[in-house]
């Protein structure tokens, strides 16, 4: 017969033994676990703390098809203006190229193929905004108000072409690649400190994104949330070096993410997309919401400059493929569909552009040589004694070949 | 009148210029809350706020580049480069833009910018913290370069630099920062750029120095004085543009000259000074002009720097050579 009470007693004892064993085991286990966790480190699985996406914006494709839901609100007149500026830009560009070949102009950097990127972006600027060009922005500059004569004057080797007219808040051409970027950030900072509701736009190319000043300028703009738009014309070639040698990034736009602001890639041959992105970015800047990087994916149809021969390093097929994406051609197709373009209108626009450019050439070529004193005149606000002496000796004829 | 160190004198000048002109802003690394690694900007952040005394990213090219943009917009930035050895990252902005924007735009834009930077050796600092690179800047057309030698000088020259319409590199001899105190008026005064000063008059030899080299030069002059030799010590003050007239007049009088600088010898500013003396006073000279300079080597680290930096003894030897030529 089973002594229940005994069972109970032993059972209880057994329970206690089991319980003790469990406690011992758990505490040993947890000590071991602690030790093991000390050895291995705590469990902290990797987690995603930041993701990013880059938007692509195209509104008008190469066949002239337009997404009307995305199209920026522009009157028919404004669309024609965009077209006319692009035609004028190309006419000036072609003429400059010819003049160089005829020996009537110095080295010139063509913008052929980039008309939409320049006209679309500059069209979104207000006169009170500031603009800092690189050296391939003839289109943006004339739209801002620079007389075409001055573009030719500059490239013919006359610094008077860089004397931006009063009231036009633009900097002269900047040749060392990317160095205008921190300067533009500085102007934006100044505007912000003054409380001026303006924006600054600076132009740069794909090559510039490899420069230290790109990083320093964009980083600065990000840190201080400055009202500046970085307009990158990714024309895919820095002289002979292709984009793949500038970056491993899939886009240039994504570089903005690292600086803490928005970057967007747009079809740079689509004037609507460029205008829309630029307009939104400029409005954002003026409203105090910081900088934007806009990457305009485009293509340098011409050589780097008139001193270059791009056939040495890139395939004709590549150029041809991009010619088919021509920015003016696609806008023309769109406008024709809308009844905004016909041959008579085109003739009128082309003739006006030609006449304007011919007048600019005539005007430029009639300008007398600069005064040799100009070498000295602008070095300082007031010429120091030694420099005055150098100028006087020079004017007296010391070593002057023409005297 | 209060006796101030050079650090205090520069701080006072900055404070007064910022009070006088709201367009003056101070920017650089650690210039705000910390007051600068040498405490030159101490108290300015508290007084003027973070809109006018700005801690920037560690970004020399942007510090100068941004300052150019601000200057074009109408501000008068006073940028600090923490040590002269770190200015090289900003050289492209200085040489390609700050110095040229007036010329490039034919006066449409100019660049009223001051870049302050401590320079020179003698404080037992690591590599890149003890250099004298004034010749690189003096060789750049469109820049003015100033190197004060005493607290009084520093205040008056900085006031002129801030008010100047063109970019001025203000090289502060860090060895002098706290080494000497002198009476510095609280009241406003300025010392014009482009004029040197005769620190001591003498008839036997002209000694030309600037910045931290003024002290060993004065010591050498005193030692020579004990031997009955009168030294005329010229404190150059502004390294670009140079004040030829005072130098030439002095050399014509003494007929002998020694130039003292801690920068490397070849193409140092001494070479330019000698060229000008030769052009304008050759026939007055009784001896070739001597140079007492750093060597054409990398600036050594602290354990050897006392051998590199000119001292009074080396200056005395050079004076003896020009006297006995």
């Amino acid at each position: 017969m089973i002594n229940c009470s005994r069972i109970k007693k032993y059972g209880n004892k057994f329970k206690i033994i089991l319980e003790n064993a469990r406690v011992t085991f758990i505490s040993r286990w947890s000590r071991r676990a602690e030790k093991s966790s000390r050895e291995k480190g705590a469990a902290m699985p990797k987690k995603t703390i930041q993701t990013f996406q880059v938007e692509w914006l195209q509104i008008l494709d190469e066949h002239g098809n337009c997404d009307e839901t995305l199209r920026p609100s522009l009157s028919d007149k404004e669309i024609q203006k965009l077209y006319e500026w692009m035609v004028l830009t190309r006419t000036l560009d072609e003429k400059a190229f010819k003049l160089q070949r005829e020996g009537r102009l110095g080295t010139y950097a063509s913008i052929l193929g980039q008309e939409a990127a320049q006209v679309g972006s500059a069209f979104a600027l207000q006169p009170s905004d500031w603009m800092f060009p690189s050296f391939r922005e003839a289109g943006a500059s004339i739209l801002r108000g620079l007389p075409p004569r001055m573009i030719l004057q500059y490239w013919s080797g006359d610094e008077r072409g860089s004397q931006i007219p009063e009231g036009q808040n633009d900097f002269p051409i900047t040749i060392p690649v990317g160095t205008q970027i921190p300067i533009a950030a500085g102007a934006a900072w100044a505007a912000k400190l003054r409380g001026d509701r303006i924006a600054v736009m600076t132009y740069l190319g794909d090559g510039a994104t490899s420069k230290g000043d790109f990083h320093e300028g964009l980083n600065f703009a990000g840190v201080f949330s400055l009202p500046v738009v970085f307009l990158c014309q990714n024309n895919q070639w820095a002289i002979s070096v292709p984009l793949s040698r500038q970056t491993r990034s899939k886009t240039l736009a994504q570089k903005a993410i690292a600086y803490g602001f928005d970057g967007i890639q747009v079809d740079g041959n689509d004037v609507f997309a460029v205008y829309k992105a630029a307009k939104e970015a400029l409005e954002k800047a003026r409203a105090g919401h910081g900088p934007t990087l806009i990457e305009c994916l485009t293509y340098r149809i011409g050589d780097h400059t008139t001193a270059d021969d791009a056939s040495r390093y890139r395939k004709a097929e590549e150029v041809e493929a991009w010619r088919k994406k021509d920015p003016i051609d696609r806008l023309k197709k769109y406008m024709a569909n809308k009844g905004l373009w016909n041959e008579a209108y085109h003739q009128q626009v082309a003739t006006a552009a030609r006449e304007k450019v011919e007048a600019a050439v005539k005007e430029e070529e009639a300008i007398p040589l600069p005064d040799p004193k100009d070498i000295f005149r602008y070095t300082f606000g007031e010429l120091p004694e030694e420099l005055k002496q150098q100028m006087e000796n020079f004017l007296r004829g010391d070593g002057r070949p023409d005297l | 009148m209060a006796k101030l160190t050079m650090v205090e004198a520069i701080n006072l000048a900055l404070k007064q210029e910022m009070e006088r002109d709201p367009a003056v802003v101070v920017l650089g690394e650690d210039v705000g809350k910390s007051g600068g690694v040498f405490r030159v900007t101490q108290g300015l952040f508290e007084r003027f706020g973070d809109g006018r005394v700005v801690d920037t990213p560690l970004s020399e090219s942007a510090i100068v580049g941004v300052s150019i943009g601000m200057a074009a917009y109408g501000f008068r930035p006073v940028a600090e480069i923490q040590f002269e050895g770190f200015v090289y990252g900003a050289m492209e902005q200085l040489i390609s833009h700050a110095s040229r924007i007036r010329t490039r735009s034919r006066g449409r834009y100019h660049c009223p910018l001051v870049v302050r930077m401590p320079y020179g050796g003698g404080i037992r600092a690591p590599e890149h913290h003890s250099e004298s690179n004034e010749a690189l800047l003096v060789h750049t057309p469109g820049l003015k370069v100033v190197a004060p030698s005493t607290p009084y000088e520093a205040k008056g020259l900085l006031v002129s630099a801030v008010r100047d319409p063109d970019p001025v590199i203000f090289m502060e001899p860090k060895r002098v920062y706290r080494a000497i105190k002198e009476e510095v008026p609280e009241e406003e005064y300025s010392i014009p750029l482009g004029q040197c000063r005769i620190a001591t008059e003498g008839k036997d030899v002209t000694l030309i120095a600037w910045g931290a080299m003024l002290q060993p030069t004065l010591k050498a002059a005193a030692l020579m004085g004990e031997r009955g030799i009168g030294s005329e010590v010229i404190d150059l003050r502004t390294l670009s543009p140079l004040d030829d007239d005072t130098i030439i007049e002095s050399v014509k009088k003494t007929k002998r000259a020694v130039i003292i600088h801690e920068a490397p010898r070849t193409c140092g500013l001494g070479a330019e000074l000698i060229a000008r003396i030769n052009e304008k006073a050759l026939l007055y000279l009784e001896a070739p002009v001597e140079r007492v300079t750093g060597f054409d080597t990398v600036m050594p680290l602290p354990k050897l720097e006392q051998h590199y930096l000119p001292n009074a003894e080396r200056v005395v030897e050079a004076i003896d050579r020009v006297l006995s030529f």
Side-chain angles (χ1 to χ4, degrees):
Chain A
M1 193 184 155
I2 298 165
N3 184 334
C4 289
S5 68
R6 254 180 133 174
I7 289 172
K8 214 175 179 179
K9 189 179 165 190
Y10 285 110
N12 280 344
K13 211 170 189 179
F14 185 63
K15 250 169 103 181
I16 290 164
I17 290 165
L18 270 182
E19 182 58 24
N20 284 346
R22 195 174 73 89
V23 170
T24 311
F25 173 76
I26 287 173
S27 77
R28 275 197 192 153
W29 176 82
S30 77
R31 272 205 303 275
R32 198 173 302 148
E34 250 174 55
K35 194 179 164 209
S36 138
S37 107
R38 272 201 308 276
E39 280 164 4
K40 288 189 192 157
M44 297 183 194
K46 277 187 192 169
K47 53 190 173 188
T48 303
I49 55 162
Q50 179 89 45
T51 57
F52 71 90
Q53 6 179 338
V54 180
E55 286 185 343
W56 155 260
L57 180 67
Q58 185 190 45
I59 300 170
L60 182 64
D61 74 10
E62 59 194 271
H63 309 293
N65 301 316
C66 179
D67 184 337
E68 290 292 337
T69 60
L70 288 175
R71 191 171 71 77
S73 70
L74 287 161
S75 67
D76 290 353
K77 187 91 200 125
E78 284 172 321
I79 292 173
Q80 286 181 324
K81 273 271 162 234
L82 287 172
Y83 178 77
E84 288 157 24
W85 277 117
M86 283 162 69
V87 170
L88 177 62
T89 297
R90 182 164 295 181
T91 309
L92 174 65
D93 196 68
E94 282 167 351
K95 185 69 190 181
F97 184 83
K98 277 190 205 138
L99 290 173
Q100 193 280 336
R101 288 295 187 255
E102 290 166 13
R104 292 159 71 191
L105 196 74
T107 303
Y108 172 75
S110 166
I111 58 174
L112 187 61
Q114 298 177 219
E115 294 86 354
Q118 298 196 10
V119 168
S121 53
F123 201 74
L125 286 164
Q126 300 286 338
S128 52
D129 293 333
W130 281 54
M131 194 273 265
F132 289 75
S134 169
F135 55 80
R136 199 188 293 285
E137 275 77 42
S141 292
I142 58 172
L143 202 158
R144 288 282 286 166
L146 199 69
R149 180 257 305 164
M150 289 180 72
I151 305 272
L152 300 173
Q153 201 176 359
Y154 175 78
W155 291 105
S156 76
D158 184 343
E159 199 133 52
R160 288 174 293 182
S162 273
Q163 190 175 12
I164 309 297
E166 284 295 333
Q168 186 180 339
N169 294 328
D170 296 358
F171 243 45
I173 280 173
T174 299
I175 290 180
V177 169
T179 55
Q180 73 281 9
I181 300 171
I183 304 178
W189 193 17
K192 185 176 174 162
L193 289 175
R194 282 269 162 86
D196 296 344
R197 281 178 72 87
I198 63 123
V200 174
M201 181 177 275
T202 182
Y203 287 85
L204 55 129
D206 40 307
T209 64
S210 303
K211 295 273 299 221
D213 272 357
F214 174 83
H215 170 70
E216 296 204 21
L218 269 72
N219 185 52
F220 209 99
V223 167
F224 293 97
S225 191
L226 301 179
V228 55
V229 177
F230 303 101
L231 198 293
C232 175
Q233 295 179 80
N234 174 5
N235 69 14
Q236 310 192 50
W237 289 93
I239 309 189
S240 69
V241 180
L243 184 64
S244 59
R245 279 290 164 97
Q246 302 298 345
T247 186
R248 183 92 175 161
S249 296
K250 194 165 166 58
T251 70
L252 296 175
Q254 74 199 56
K255 290 173 187 273
I257 314 291
Y259 302 113
F261 53 85
D262 300 332
I264 183 172
Q265 191 186 60
V266 307
D267 181 343
N269 286 9
D270 167 1
V271 73
F272 291 156
V274 174
Y275 171 74
K276 187 185 173 87
K279 188 164 189 288
E280 285 174 4
L282 288 165
E283 280 167 1
K284 182 181 104 178
R286 291 185 208 109
H289 301 308
T292 308
L293 171 62
I294 301 173
E295 175 190 0
C296 298
L297 189 66
T298 181
Y299 193 80
R300 193 194 80 209
I301 298 286
D303 301 325
H304 163 65
T305 65
T306 47
D308 177 40
D309 173 9
S311 69
R312 292 164 57 87
Y313 51 79
R314 65 182 189 186
K315 293 198 174 81
E317 303 88 77
E318 182 184 302
V319 183
E320 275 320 300
W322 275 93
R323 275 190 193 277
K324 294 198 179 97
K325 300 179 185 180
D326 187 77
I328 299 183
D329 195 46
R330 72 172 74 174
L331 183 61
K332 181 181 92 178
K333 285 175 186 158
Y334 172 80
M335 289 168 69
N337 283 339
K338 290 272 161 189
L340 296 173
W341 189 98
N342 57 35
E343 201 48 47
Y345 165 73
H346 174 68
Q347 282 311 323
Q348 179 202 325
V349 172
T351 307
R354 222 170 21 247
E355 283 171 359
K356 202 164 189 178
V357 169
E358 288 304 332
V361 174
K362 222 170 149 183
E363 196 188 340
E364 196 280 319
E365 291 191 331
I367 296 171
L369 282 174
D371 182 350
K373 258 190 193 170
D374 280 8
I375 298 171
F376 301 90
R377 192 173 279 160
Y378 301 100
T379 314
F380 293 102
E382 196 183 325
L383 284 195
E385 215 36 60
E386 163 67 18
L387 206 48
K388 244 184 247 170
Q389 200 58 53
Q390 288 179 21
M391 183 173 79
E392 278 160 22
N393 292 344
F394 162 77
L395 292 173
R396 265 205 306 275
D398 295 6
R400 286 259 309 266
D402 55 338
L403 288 179
Chain B
M1 202 184 300
K3 284 196 161 190
L4 301 183
T5 63
M6 185 181 277
V7 164
E8 291 162 340
I10 294 170
N11 181 274
L12 183 60
L14 287 172
K15 190 181 89 181
Q16 291 179 343
E17 284 305 287
M18 291 184 80
E19 276 166 355
R20 183 189 61 82
D21 182 355
V24 178
V25 292
V26 166
L27 67 154
E29 295 156 13
D30 308 298
V31 299
K33 281 187 184 162
S34 140
V37 293
F38 288 103
R39 303 289 175 267
V40 172
T41 54
Q42 189 160 299
L44 299 180
F45 178 84
E46 290 75 10
R47 193 173 183 99
F48 299 101
D50 63 359
R52 293 186 66 198
V53 183
V54 185
D55 280 323
T56 65
L58 209 165
S59 197
E60 282 80 12
S61 186
I63 290 169
V64 174
V66 157
S67 298
I68 296 167
M70 296 183 85
Y73 203 91
F75 280 85
R76 286 184 174 267
V78 181
E80 178 177 302
I81 295 291
Q82 203 159 68
F83 285 88
E84 75 297 313
F86 306 142
V87 76
Y88 306 119
M91 284 303 258
E92 185 168 28
Q93 289 294 341
L94 284 173
I95 294 175
S96 296
H97 297 306
S99 67
R100 298 179 188 211
I101 193 60
R102 184 191 284 279
T103 292
R104 186 180 305 138
S105 69
R106 293 173 53 88
R108 167 69 205 278
Y109 296 106
H110 66 288
C111 189
L113 157 70
V114 178
V115 177
R116 292 180 35 246
M117 56 187 195
Y119 88 96
I123 63 153
R124 308 192 61 75
E127 195 188 351
H128 313 290
H129 292 68
S130 298
E131 308 189 3
S132 298
N133 43 24
E134 67 270 21
L136 298 174
L137 299 153
V138 169
H139 194 63
T140 302
L143 294 183
K144 295 180 180 177
V145 185
V146 175
S149 59
T150 75
Y152 177 89
E153 291 286 314
K155 186 183 178 214
L157 287 166
L158 184 55
V159 166
S160 295
V162 171
R163 297 178 189 182
D164 199 89
D166 290 302
V168 180
I169 313 297
F170 198 78
M171 303 186 68
E172 299 167 3
K174 59 176 93 78
R175 184 147 56 133
V176 183
Y177 264 162
R178 291 190 164 80
I180 48 176
K181 275 191 167 196
E182 70 179 350
E183 291 192 340
V184 176
E186 175 81 17
E187 303 80 61
E188 178 184 315
Y189 66 94
S190 64
I191 297 172
L193 305 188
Q195 287 180 17
C196 48
R197 115 187 129 100
I198 298 190
T200 64
E201 280 189 38
K203 58 178 178 32
D204 301 316
V205 63
T206 299
L207 309 179
I208 306 170
W210 54 92
M213 285 298 101
L214 199 76
Q215 292 307 318
T217 302
L218 288 171
K219 192 175 162 196
L223 290 169
M224 294 311 288
E226 288 167 14
R227 288 162 48 189
I229 305 294
S231 302
E232 183 142 297
V233 176
I234 295 183
D235 176 3
L236 209 54
R237 284 175 164 167
T238 301
L239 316 188
S240 179
L242 285 168
D243 171 10
D244 291 8
D245 291 352
T246 308
I247 296 164
I248 298 304
E249 203 180 307
S250 174
V251 172
K252 281 182 177 171
K253 180 175 80 180
T254 64
K255 302 179 170 47
R256 293 174 171 88
V258 176
I259 297 156
I260 303 97
H261 62 66
E262 55 182 295
R265 189 178 190 84
T266 299
C267 287
L269 194 51
E272 176 62 27
L273 289 165
I274 291 174
R276 293 194 187 197
I277 292 168
N278 287 346
E279 283 163 6
K280 295 179 180 172
L282 183 68
L283 296 178
Y284 291 82
L285 290 176
E286 295 288 354
V289 178
E290 280 274 343
R291 282 180 287 174
V292 181
T293 68
F295 308 117
D296 287 341
T297 65
V298 174
M299 174 75 192
L301 295 186
K303 286 195 172 167
L304 292 176
E305 71 176 335
Q306 77 276 18
H307 301 297
Y308 179 93
L309 296 168
N311 55 23
E313 291 68 30
R314 276 172 69 191
V315 179
V316 165
E317 285 168 16
I319 297 170
D320 278 335
R321 284 197 297 274
V322 297
L323 288 173
S324 61
F325 179 78

PDB file of all heavy atoms in Angstrom, chain A residues 35 46 190 202 235 281 332:
ATOM      1  N   LYS A  35      28.222  35.298 -19.425  1.00  0.00           N
ATOM      2  CA  LYS A  35      29.632  35.207 -19.766  1.00  0.00           C
ATOM      3  C   LYS A  35      29.781  35.111 -21.278  1.00  0.00           C
ATOM      4  O   LYS A  35      30.597  35.827 -21.896  1.00  0.00           O
ATOM      5  CB  LYS A  35      30.240  33.970 -19.094  1.00  0.00           C
ATOM      6  CG  LYS A  35      31.754  33.959 -19.107  1.00  0.00           C
ATOM      7  CD  LYS A  35      32.303  32.729 -18.412  1.00  0.00           C
ATOM      8  CE  LYS A  35      33.766  32.543 -18.765  1.00  0.00           C
ATOM      9  NZ  LYS A  35      34.137  31.146 -18.718  1.00  0.00           N
ATOM     10  N   LYS A  46      21.909  43.903 -37.139  1.00  0.00           N
ATOM     11  CA  LYS A  46      21.963  45.076 -38.026  1.00  0.00           C
ATOM     12  C   LYS A  46      20.555  45.462 -38.434  1.00  0.00           C
ATOM     13  O   LYS A  46      19.716  44.597 -38.671  1.00  0.00           O
ATOM     14  CB  LYS A  46      22.726  44.734 -39.305  1.00  0.00           C
ATOM     15  CG  LYS A  46      24.207  44.820 -39.187  1.00  0.00           C
ATOM     16  CD  LYS A  46      24.799  44.631 -40.575  1.00  0.00           C
ATOM     17  CE  LYS A  46      26.289  44.412 -40.521  1.00  0.00           C
ATOM     18  NZ  LYS A  46      26.800  43.977 -41.819  1.00  0.00           N
ATOM     19  N   ALA A 190      24.838  84.826 -47.292  1.00  0.00           N
ATOM     20  CA  ALA A 190      24.707  86.269 -47.091  1.00  0.00           C
ATOM     21  C   ALA A 190      23.242  86.678 -47.242  1.00  0.00           C
ATOM     22  O   ALA A 190      22.711  87.448 -46.436  1.00  0.00           O
ATOM     23  CB  ALA A 190      25.585  87.012 -48.093  1.00  0.00           C
ATOM     24  N   THR A 202      23.717  77.840 -58.914  1.00  0.00           N
ATOM     25  CA  THR A 202      25.049  77.708 -59.488  1.00  0.00           C
ATOM     26  C   THR A 202      25.092  76.501 -60.400  1.00  0.00           C
ATOM     27  O   THR A 202      24.485  75.469 -60.117  1.00  0.00           O
ATOM     28  CB  THR A 202      26.153  77.649 -58.413  1.00  0.00           C
ATOM     29  OG1 THR A 202      27.428  77.571 -59.079  1.00  0.00           O
ATOM     30  CG2 THR A 202      26.020  76.452 -57.494  1.00  0.00           C
ATOM     31  N   ASN A 235      26.682  66.199 -68.595  1.00  0.00           N
ATOM     32  CA  ASN A 235      26.758  65.980 -70.050  1.00  0.00           C
ATOM     33  C   ASN A 235      27.629  64.774 -70.375  1.00  0.00           C
ATOM     34  O   ASN A 235      27.973  64.525 -71.518  1.00  0.00           O
ATOM     35  CB  ASN A 235      27.197  67.251 -70.785  1.00  0.00           C
ATOM     36  CG  ASN A 235      28.653  67.616 -70.517  1.00  0.00           C
ATOM     37  OD1 ASN A 235      29.432  66.816 -69.997  1.00  0.00           O
ATOM     38  ND2 ASN A 235      29.031  68.821 -70.883  1.00  0.00           N
ATOM     39  N   ALA A 281      12.662  73.932 -56.877  1.00  0.00           N
ATOM     40  CA  ALA A 281      13.835  74.039 -56.001  1.00  0.00           C
ATOM     41  C   ALA A 281      14.090  75.492 -55.614  1.00  0.00           C
ATOM     42  O   ALA A 281      14.448  75.794 -54.463  1.00  0.00           O
ATOM     43  CB  ALA A 281      15.060  73.450 -56.700  1.00  0.00           C
ATOM     44  N   LYS A 332       9.783  71.301 -80.362  1.00  0.00           N
ATOM     45  CA  LYS A 332       9.154  71.666 -81.632  1.00  0.00           C
ATOM     46  C   LYS A 332       7.992  70.709 -81.944  1.00  0.00           C
ATOM     47  O   LYS A 332       6.889  71.140 -82.278  1.00  0.00           O
ATOM     48  CB  LYS A 332      10.203  71.605 -82.745  1.00  0.00           C
ATOM     49  CG  LYS A 332       9.690  71.990 -84.105  1.00  0.00           C
ATOM     50  CD  LYS A 332      10.773  71.872 -85.159  1.00  0.00           C
ATOM     51  CE  LYS A 332      10.732  70.490 -85.803  1.00  0.00           C
ATOM     52  NZ  LYS A 332      11.748  70.363 -86.885  1.00  0.00           N
TER      53      LYS A 332
END
